[in-house]
């Protein structure tokens, strides 16, 4: 009688090989991941909110203002002046574009990088006394404001007033500040702690300057008022933000 043990051993090994190959085929066959679902699934990103219409311009400001800009055409920026209020390299200068009839801050440099540099876009008008009014819509920037009585060729050596507002989500305080800047030295004239503005909705900023008195309003409500014992002389006005992108401005109006 011949020995059957080698045959049984070989049969067992073949059975193990068949089981392993079958298991691998089941695990790796096409469509297996789709049938069982992905191992890690991210929730879908919510759609970006639709930007609503701009705030209505009061009839009293719609007629007879000193200066109006609604950015209705692509060449609206040809007479505006972009200025960095902090020192930056020439290749890191801020970008400004017209987007669907609105002014958009479009990051910095050719690569459109985010920059914390303070920037302003100055209107082609001289301002002494009056009201500067601008609408803004913040998507993700978080900083908005206006500049008045700006004088200077280089931003970080210039003289100007700036009304600076922060969104409510920022931890930094104060949320509202009215400042005087002379040759890079900042002097707070008035501040308000909070609560900060709400993003993704339109707001209206107003900065009124009469002699040595400055008055700031947000959405028609008084924010703060200050007096400057050594008021700045006439200069330009402009919108203010940082070169982070994600913010729109519209309806810049200067009235006497």
């Amino acid at each position: 009688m011949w020995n059957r043990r080698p045959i049984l051993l070989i049969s067992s090994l073949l059975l193990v090989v068949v089981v392993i190959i079958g298991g691998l085929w089941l695990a790796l066959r096409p469509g297996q991941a789709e049938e069982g679902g992905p191992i890690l699934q991210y929730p879908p990103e919510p759609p970006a909110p639709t930007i609503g219409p701009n705030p209505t311009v009061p009839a009293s400001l719609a007629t007879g203002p000193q200066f109006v800009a609604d950015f209705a055409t692509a060449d609206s920026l040809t007479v505006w002046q972009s200025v960095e209020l902090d020192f930056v390299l020439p290749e890191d200068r801020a970008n400004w574009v017209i987007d669907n009839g609105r002014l958009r801050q479009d990051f910095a440099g050719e690569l459109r990088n985010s920059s914390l540099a303070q920037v302003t876009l100055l209107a082609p008008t001289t301002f002494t006394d009056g009201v500067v009014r601008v609408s803004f819509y913040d998507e993700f920037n978080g900083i908005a404001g206006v500049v008045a009585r700006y004088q200077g060729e280089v931003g970080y050596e210039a003289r100007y007033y700036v009304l600076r507002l922060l969104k409510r989500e920022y931890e930094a305080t104060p949320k509202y500040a009215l400042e005087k800047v002379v040759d890079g030295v900042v002097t707070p004239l008035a501040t308000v702690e909070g609560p900060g503005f709400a993003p993704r909705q339109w707001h209206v900023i107003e900065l009124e300057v009469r002699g040595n008195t400055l008055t700031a309003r947000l959405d028609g409500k008084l924010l703060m008022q200050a007096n400057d014992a050594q008021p700045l002389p006439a200069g330009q006005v402009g919108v203010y933000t940082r070169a982070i992108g994600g913010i729109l401005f519209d309806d810049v109006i200067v009235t006497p």
Side-chain angles (χ1 to χ4, degrees):
M1 173 181 266
W2 51 279
N3 193 345
R4 300 175 56 187
R5 294 182 61 187
I7 296 176
L8 293 175
L9 180 60
I10 293 173
S11 299
S12 299
L13 291 174
L14 288 174
L15 180 61
V16 171
V17 171
V18 170
V19 170
I20 292 174
I21 293 175
L24 290 174
W25 180 82
L26 289 173
L28 301 177
R29 62 176 177 168
Q32 178 68 21
E34 289 82 357
E35 293 176 6
I39 297 176
L40 180 61
Q41 184 174 5
Y42 293 98
E45 292 187 4
T50 301
I51 299 175
N54 300 11
T56 302
V57 177
S60 59
L61 298 180
T63 58
Q66 175 182 335
F67 177 82
V68 176
D70 59 6
F71 307 105
T73 60
D75 61 352
S76 300
L77 297 185
T78 57
V79 293
W80 289 67
Q81 179 187 359
S82 178
V83 175
E84 278 71 25
L85 300 174
D86 298 317
F87 173 79
V88 300
L89 297 174
E91 59 268 26
D92 295 327
R93 298 198 64 188
N95 304 317
W96 299 88
V97 297
I98 302 296
D99 183 1
N100 292 321
R102 289 149 178 166
L103 173 66
R104 177 185 291 276
Q105 202 294 308
D106 196 35
F107 305 98
E110 292 186 3
L111 298 179
R112 299 177 64 248
N113 295 317
S114 293
S115 169
L116 293 177
Q118 302 177 92
V119 294
T120 182
L121 191 67
L122 297 172
T125 183
T126 301
F127 176 87
T128 305
D129 286 353
V131 179
V132 184
R133 183 185 192 271
V134 61
S135 303
F136 76 92
Y137 183 98
D138 178 55
E139 295 175 303
F140 54 80
N141 187 300
I143 302 174
V146 294
V147 165
R149 289 186 180 177
Y150 176 95
Q151 287 185 324
E153 296 296 327
V154 182
Y156 54 86
E157 296 177 350
R159 300 183 175 195
Y160 55 91
Y161 294 118
V162 58
L163 171 60
R164 176 174 48 83
L165 314 180
L166 302 181
K167 68 178 180 180
R168 62 189 180 192
E169 285 79 4
Y170 278 174
E171 294 183 359
T173 57
K175 290 294 194 295
Y176 310 124
L178 182 55
E179 299 168 338
K180 177 183 180 181
V181 183
V182 177
D183 300 330
V185 178
V186 179
T187 301
L189 299 177
T191 59
V192 176
E193 290 300 316
F197 65 81
R200 296 195 178 276
Q201 68 182 60
W202 283 101
H203 299 281
V204 176
I205 309 173
E206 291 184 4
L207 177 59
E208 182 176 0
V209 184
R210 305 285 181 191
N212 67 343
T213 302
L214 296 91
T215 304
R217 300 180 181 88
L218 176 62
D219 298 329
K221 298 180 179 179
L222 178 65
L223 270 182
M224 65 190 97
Q225 192 171 64
N227 292 318
D228 182 8
Q230 296 179 317
L232 298 175
Q236 291 176 269
V237 301
V239 298
Y240 167 90
T241 187
R242 291 185 183 265
I244 305 173
I247 192 166
L248 302 171
F249 295 94
D250 208 347
D251 297 327
V252 178
I253 300 175
V254 179
T255 58

